[in-house]
Each structure stands twice: as C-alpha cells, then as structure tokens.
Amino acid sequence: MLNSTDAAGRKPLRVLVMVSGGGTNLQAIIDSVGDGRITNTQLVGVISNNKNAYALERAKEHGIPSMCVSPKDYETREIFNTKLLEAVDGFAPDLVVLAGFLVVIPPEMIRRYEDRMINIHPSLIPSFCGKGYYGLKVHEAALKRGVKVVGATVHFVDEGTDTGPIILQKAVEVQQGDTPEVLQRRVMEQAEWMILPRAIDLIANGKVRVAGGRTEILP
Ligand code: GRF
C-alpha cells in the first residue's frame, strides 16, 4: 500500500507492523496512509504472533502481505526467535512498528533494528510502564493510583522494557467513574491512534533525530 504523494521524490519508508490482537492501531496507520496524514510510506507487511488476531483480517482487506509467526509452533524460544527475525528481515523494512505486539522482542532483533523499531505504550512513560505493565493492567494501575491524567507514548525500542528514546506523547484526562476498559478506549481514541501515525510520518520524512537516548523532532 503506497501513498503516492511523495512530492520530494524520496524513496518511501518501508514499514512493517507487528500485532497480536484487534489491530486498531494498525487500522489507524492504514487509514493515515490512505488519507495522507502519513506520507512517503509503504506498508510492506504485517506479522502477528496470533493466528486469530483480527489485525490479520485488516491487513488482508487492505492487500497488505501478512503472516503469523507463533512461539507455539516452535519447540524452543531460540528457534522461534530465529524464525521471527527471518520473517522480519524477509520484508526488508526500514521501520518496524510494534502496534500491540505482546511477544518479547529477541535481543538480536533489538540490536539489528536499533533506532528503526518503535512501540506504542498506553501510558505517559515513565509512569505505568516496564515489566508487567501491558494492556488493561496499565489502566487498572492508573485508576488504582488515582491519577487524573494518563496518555500514550511512542518510543524507539531498546534493550529495556519501555525505556527507549521517546518520540511523541499525548495526555488524556481521567473521568469520574472510569473503568479500565473505558479508560483504555479513550486513551486509544484520543492518543494512540493519533501519535502512532504521526510518529511514522515524522520518521518517514526525516524529522526524527536520535542522540544520547533522546530524540529531537525537527521542524
Ligand atoms: C494498545 O492499547 C497498545 O497501546 C497496547 O496494546 C493495545 C493494542 O491494541 N500495547 P490494538 O491491537 O492496536 O487494537
């Protein structure tokens, strides 16, 4: 899927999206490429670790090559890691986007895709992140602590859990009576589906510089 509005005549960024579930973030990326919020980008593939992920249907509907690589299909984690990296390399991506991908990324893949792999996390890092904070657990913890503002973060992936250089963040207000599910949905609608496509567009257009564990967004 190629957005042809590359006025500058640059080579489009080859983007591979990795998913595990519903794929609403994938959908936001597909829609943004379609309507020009993301430019200079080609969605070259989708990889899921879960063959039943609805995200795979979304990929098919839009003609994006997709495949499942599941740890369940391999005897050891090492073999899975090798197969996963082979699959990723097979798409020759310039950028790997983890959009709700729930599998631990093999260290070799982190090294190979340093500054070329991003993740969306449903909190304002460094709050409610790190080991054990994923999915609804993030929102449960935020409500338990009683914070009034939550949000989402897009960051580069490094060896730590949610520790890589931050690219974009967006805040979302907690409302009286929120449940984890309601809050999760609001964070997706008001933050994740906006900043993940925006981050891809910035990277595709050479606007993100990484140095010393931080990013600079160029004008
Ligand atoms: C999102 O909340 C994302 O932040 C988290 O997993 C969820 C994925 O949702 N890491 P979807 O598959 O994009 O709908």
Side-chain angles (χ1 to χ4, degrees), residues 1-81:
M1 192 182 190
L2 176 61
N3 182 321
S4 55
T5 61
D6 178 27
R10 274 171 307 214
K11 215 169 121 244
L13 190 80
R14 294 176 59 84
V15 172
L16 170 68
V17 184
M18 299 182 69
V19 297
S20 297
T24 61
N25 279 288
L26 169 65
Q27 191 66 52
I29 296 166
I30 292 171
D31 293 346
S32 299
V33 171
D35 67 18
R37 277 175 291 160
I38 296 179
T39 59
N40 198 32
T41 291
Q42 182 180 7
L43 296 179
V44 294
V46 171
I47 293 179
S48 172
N49 63 300
N50 165 12
K51 67 178 179 357
N52 297 316
Y54 186 65
L56 287 173
E57 295 300 319
R58 296 181 194 270
K60 267 185 216 123
E61 266 170 38
H62 291 85
I64 304 167
S66 62
M67 65 190 291
C68 172
V69 186
S70 168
K72 291 182 191 149
D73 294 336
Y74 301 101
E75 250 171 54
T76 67
R77 198 65 180 194
E78 286 66 33
I79 299 174
F80 164 74
N81 284 350

Side-chain angles (χ1 to χ4, degrees), residues 125 153-167 213-214:
I125 291 174
T153 303
V154 183
H155 63 91
F156 284 105
V157 176
D158 70 3
E159 269 97 10
T161 307
D162 304 325
T163 54
I166 290 170
I167 305 166
R214 284 189 287 272

Side-chain angles (χ1 to χ4, degrees), residues 92-162:
D94 299 313
L95 181 72
V96 176
V97 176
L98 307 180
F101 189 63
L102 295 175
V103 172
V104 175
I105 301 295
E108 197 186 333
M109 180 168 160
I110 294 175
R111 284 192 291 275
R112 189 169 305 173
Y113 287 90
E114 188 183 10
D115 298 342
R116 294 193 295 142
M117 177 157 53
I118 65 174
N119 179 50
I120 178 84
H121 181 76
S123 80
L124 292 174
I125 291 174
S127 289
F128 308 113
C129 64
K131 285 208 166 55
Y133 286 103
Y134 60 89
L136 268 185
K137 289 179 192 298
V138 174
H139 307 287
E140 283 163 5
L143 289 176
K144 190 165 177 217
R145 182 61 184 85
V147 296
K148 304 302 183 197
V149 176
V150 292
T153 303
V154 183
H155 63 91
F156 284 105
V157 176
D158 70 3
E159 269 97 10
T161 307
D162 304 325

